[in-house]
């Protein structure tokens, strides 16, 4: 992709460590944001998805990634524009292309 002004990050949650009795150790659980790739994040107002039960979902953002990503529906991601957060949310669906090396996310 030629134009990727934003940075895609995914939330990574580390599980708490446990002591010899299986009890969780306090302050060992962390939430970090891991950088995935460059992307272009656009506001979405046109694309609608219909689920199997007939409910309609209209995602707020459409993200085009500059490479194929291993993210899946339900992952929490955010797009950064410099130091500010442009978009943040949960992935609804991921589409990858066969020939071109990019992915699309709707969140």
């Amino acid at each position: 992709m030629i134009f990727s002004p934003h940075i895609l990050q995914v939330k990574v949650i580390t599980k708490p460590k446990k002591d010899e009795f299986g009890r969780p150790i306090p302050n060992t659980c962390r939430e970090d944001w891991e950088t995935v790739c460059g992307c272009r994040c656009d506001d979405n107002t046109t694309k609608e998805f219909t689920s199997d039960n007939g409910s309609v979902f209209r995602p707020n953002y459409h993200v085009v990634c500059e490479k194929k990503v291993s993210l899946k529906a339900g992952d929490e991601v955010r797009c950064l524009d410099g130091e500010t957060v442009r978009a943040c949310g949960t992935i609804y669906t991921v589409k990858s292309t066969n020939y071109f090396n990019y992915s699309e996310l709707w969140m």
Side-chain angles (χ1 to χ4, degrees), residues 20-76:
E20 63 271 9
F21 301 109
R23 297 177 299 210
I25 300 172
N27 301 326
T28 57
C29 181
R30 292 191 350 217
E31 292 181 356
D32 294 321
W33 290 98
E34 183 180 294
T35 300
V36 177
C37 63
C39 67
R40 185 187 76 230
C41 178
D42 300 320
D43 292 337
N44 181 50
T45 57
T46 58
K47 184 76 174 173
E48 287 184 350
F49 296 97
T50 306
S51 67
D52 293 336
N53 65 358
S55 62
V56 176
F57 177 76
R58 179 176 285 162
N60 293 330
Y61 297 101
H62 174 233
V63 180
V64 180
C65 303
E66 66 183 3
K67 65 177 190 175
K68 289 186 180 179
V69 294
S70 61
L71 300 173
K72 58 188 179 305
D75 288 346
E76 190 170 343

